[in-house]
Amino acid sequence: GPSVAEFERALREVYDRIERYDEVIPSLVVLPNYDIERASTTDVVKEMLDKVARRPLVCSIMTIDFALHMVLMLAYRSNCFAAGIVVNVPGLGINREFYLLVADLIVAHFVLRKMMDGFSMVRISWGVFVSY
């Protein structure tokens, strides 16, 4: 009968063929949440998501988003200090306008990104956009 090595080779070949289709991951968006969860627990979809997540562009975007979230939280906190909502720490030297500008710019960045996500979904299909 077939050996384990032959089975693993055939399985790898199936994974490689499925991974060539770039539309697999974006098309999951149109599925109901239950089906998305079921599909994302399969080995082939997990492997596809892992490969996408390891791309340098994706890692860069995630790192920048993390940094922007941290700066946004600090700007919000500093703005609360400057506005007197939170007890001000003596000698902190807070410039409220600067922190409001920083917070506004970061929020504008995230809103713009969300809008671009929507435009991308419309390009895939109207059904994907509506379900998004």
Side-chain angles (χ1 to χ4, degrees):
S3 69
V4 173
E6 289 173 359
F7 173 76
E8 288 176 353
R9 184 190 51 75
L11 184 64
R12 170 69 14 225
E13 186 177 320
V14 169
Y15 280 15
D16 290 341
R17 283 188 182 185
I18 292 173
E19 288 173 5
R20 284 188 215 134
Y21 298 106
D22 295 333
E23 295 85 18
V24 172
I25 300 299
S27 66
L28 293 176
V29 176
V30 297
L31 296 174
N33 285 340
Y34 174 74
D35 290 334
I36 291 173
E37 290 174 14
R38 284 184 46 213
S40 62
T41 59
T42 62
D43 289 339
V44 67
V45 173
K46 277 191 220 174
E47 189 168 320
M48 291 173 80
L49 289 171
D50 285 345
K51 283 186 178 181
V52 168
R54 285 190 299 243
R55 291 183 182 161
L57 176 65
V58 174
C59 292
S60 300
I61 290 172
M62 290 172 51
T63 303
I64 291 168
D65 277 359
F66 176 75
L68 287 175
H69 276 95
M70 293 292 110
V71 171
L72 180 62
M73 288 190 298
L74 290 172
Y76 179 78
R77 183 172 181 257
S78 298
N79 187 44
C80 290
F81 278 131
I85 298 169
V86 179
V87 177
N88 200 351
V89 177
L92 199 55
I94 296 172
N95 182 350
R96 183 167 188 228
E97 290 77 24
F98 172 74
Y99 291 117
L100 280 173
L101 177 66
V102 169
D104 288 345
L105 289 174
I106 293 173
V107 168
H109 164 76
F110 285 125
V111 168
L112 186 62
R113 279 257 316 269
K114 207 57 163 164
M115 289 171 49
M116 291 297 112
D117 286 350
F119 291 139
S120 298
M121 292 297 165
V122 167
R123 283 191 62 210
I124 293 172
S125 88
W126 183 254
V128 171
F129 174 73
V130 171
S131 67
Y132 179 68

